Amino acid sequence: MPVTLTPSRRAASMPPYAFATLAQSIRALTAQGADVIRLDIGSPDMPPAPHIIQTLVEKSRLPNVHGYGGYFGIPALREAIAAYYKNRFGVELNPNTEVLPLIGSKEGLANLHLAWLDAGEVALAPDPGYLVYGMAPHLAGGQAVPFDLKPENNWLPDFRAIPAAVARKARLMWLNYPNNPTGAPADLSFFEEAIDFCRRHSILLCHDNPYSDVTFDGYRAVSPLQIPGAQEVVIEFNSLSKTYNMAGWRVGMAVGNAAAVKALGTIKTQVDSGLALPVQYMAIAALTGDQTWLAGRNAIYQQRRDMVLAALDELGLAVPAPKATLYVWFPAPDGMTDVEFHQKLLREAHVSIAPGSMYGQNGRGWMRLAIGVDTGRLQEALARIKALS
């Protein structure tokens, strides 16, 4: 008799990752000869600065850097991360107890749930929000409970609207500003309110901050760790993916609350063997080297943002200019759902823009357009979109 092998209930009940499914659809169109322009994914199209690449080249040629890179990263990388936080946010971190390098921040976001949730426990996840916040609790046997982000509150949560019974059950809460997908910013007064809420309910505040250095119009993003005493309840995740155009090299960090950092490190020792040593040196060069090139890079993103805003204005879809991130968040045209508009653009214009409902119920009726694509290709995509109107 044939043998029937089945995956775990956890894996079987997990829906496909939305962007993986979308990529399959795009590959099918491309195989038919379509020239699809992807404005749906936030992957920087430009390279890191030359000094960062040069460091990788030089270090990778050394004979003694091809073994394991260490579970917790080399001391010089942890010190570089701490130095970055000191220089960028004025935050003092102990590189030995409050800093943990990650293989990209995404794995840290997921693994934290294994470190902090037991079966049936609650993680509070923003709606709309990055997909991992809602799916990773399921991997840990926990439960994701959404809380609302709405345009009338500038895509910030109203902590008073979170039921007391839910807050009592929650073990952690996710925030993410500058925000993906909406591009919304947050200031320190907001984070003071968030920290107070988490203190009162003994919740670990998990802040995802990968867009803090992708900013426009003179805006300077903040970190909740700037608030005195924040380390009592805050762990922050950050990444070199967006700041230094290093998405494919997979370097991130978790910093802040020592107990959470330690627990996450414990899980990671069972899951991975750390970053490759040449990549660690590359990250050190990025974090501690010349930072002035970021202004020129952001100016290119700002030019693209403004191109998108002008095109949307012509289509009657005017929205405020986002101050940060790689995204423009705008409403779908009247009479169309976000999914219908996405499908129409993909099918007829061969342009892919993410439908907002991918990010939660409150994203329905909205679209997320990414500007991490060559300026000429972006111009072509916008021309195709306008031609459909």
Side-chain angles (χ1 to χ4, degrees):
M1 294 181 62
V3 176
T4 301
L5 302 177
T6 59
S8 69
R9 289 190 295 273
R10 178 183 298 110
S13 64
M14 182 72 66
Y17 191 64
F19 282 102
T21 302
L22 177 57
Q24 290 177 347
S25 300
I26 292 171
R27 281 196 296 270
L29 278 173
T30 302
Q32 297 168 15
D35 174 27
V36 179
I37 302 177
R38 296 197 64 175
L39 306 181
D40 55 76
I41 190 166
S43 180
D45 64 299
M46 293 176 278
H51 73 274
I52 299 173
I53 298 173
Q54 185 61 32
T55 297
L56 175 68
V57 171
E58 292 174 357
K59 293 298 184 181
S60 65
R61 287 176 174 156
L62 297 176
N64 60 344
V65 297
H66 304 286
Y68 293 119
Y71 293 113
F72 308 107
I74 58 176
L77 176 56
R78 297 195 305 273
E79 290 164 3
I81 293 170
Y84 164 81
Y85 263 82
K86 174 64 175 177
N87 295 332
R88 174 62 179 82
F89 298 109
V91 172
E92 296 278 359
L93 294 169
N94 184 323
N96 296 316
T97 59
E98 296 177 326
V99 172
L100 180 65
L102 304 172
I103 306 176
S105 61
K106 184 177 180 180
E107 66 91 348
L109 305 184
N111 283 326
L112 181 72
H113 295 83
L114 296 173
W116 212 253
L117 289 185
D118 287 317
E121 292 186 330
V122 166
L124 296 173
D127 178 3
Y130 183 43
L131 281 62
V132 175
Y133 309 148
M135 287 294 103
H138 178 71
L139 289 174
Q143 178 186 6
V145 175
F147 59 89
D148 290 332
L149 308 183
K150 295 186 176 181
E152 55 265 32
N153 199 38
N154 299 316
W155 303 104
L156 297 171
D158 179 359
F159 297 110
R160 297 168 299 181
I162 298 175
V166 172
R168 284 194 296 270
K169 293 179 180 179
R171 289 273 291 154
L172 60 87
M173 178 175 71
W174 285 102
L175 293 175
N176 160 225
Y177 294 97
N179 184 258
N180 173 23
T182 70
D187 59 20
L188 287 176
S189 64
F190 165 79
F191 284 120
E192 287 175 348
E193 183 183 357
I195 288 170
D196 179 67
F197 174 83
C198 289
R199 276 203 179 105
R200 286 188 284 110
H201 296 285
S202 298
I203 295 171
L204 178 66
L205 174 53
C206 306
H207 184 240
D208 190 15
N209 200 12
Y211 299 98
S212 56
D213 289 307
V214 183
T215 57
F216 317 120
D217 304 320
Y219 172 67
R220 190 168 175 82
V222 299
S223 164
L225 291 170
Q226 293 174 244
I227 297 167
Q231 275 107 318
E232 294 177 7
V233 295
V234 174
I235 182 170
E236 179 161 275
F237 292 81
N238 212 322
S239 171
L240 276 66
S241 294
K242 309 303 192 294
T243 296
Y244 298 107
N245 298 349
M246 288 174 55
W249 292 105
R250 310 310 303 137
V251 183
M253 64 199 78
V255 301
N257 182 272
V261 168
K262 181 179 179 180
L264 177 56
T266 298
I267 295 297
K268 281 175 58 58
T269 61
Q270 302 294 331
V271 174
D272 67 67
S273 298
L275 290 155
L277 283 167
V279 175
Q280 293 192 53
Y281 288 114
M282 182 189 193
I284 293 168
L287 291 163
T288 62
D290 176 35
Q291 306 291 302
T292 59
W293 69 278
L294 297 176
R297 188 277 313 276
N298 285 351
I300 294 172
Y301 283 149
Q302 183 170 326
Q303 178 192 21
R304 295 175 183 174
R305 178 205 66 176
D306 292 345
M307 289 167 49
V308 172
L309 294 174
L312 293 176
D313 187 59
E314 290 183 41
L315 296 172
L317 300 172
V319 290
K323 296 181 178 180
T325 77
L326 294 175
Y327 313 113
V328 177
W329 181 248
F330 65 95
D334 289 341
M336 300 187 73
T337 69
D338 56 296
V339 173
E340 289 170 343
F341 188 49
H342 158 77
Q343 292 175 340
K344 179 179 177 66
L345 290 179
L346 185 57
R347 181 179 62 252
E348 300 180 24
H350 296 155
V351 174
S352 180
I353 298 176
S357 53
M358 288 175 61
Y359 302 93
Q361 292 297 311
N362 290 335
R364 288 182 298 179
W366 292 82
M367 309 297 299
R368 194 196 76 167
L369 186 154
I371 57 175
V373 64
D374 175 78
T375 303
R377 291 286 280 171
L378 179 60
Q379 288 176 322
E380 169 65 20
L382 296 174
R384 294 183 192 181
I385 294 170
K386 287 189 286 186
L388 285 181
S389 62

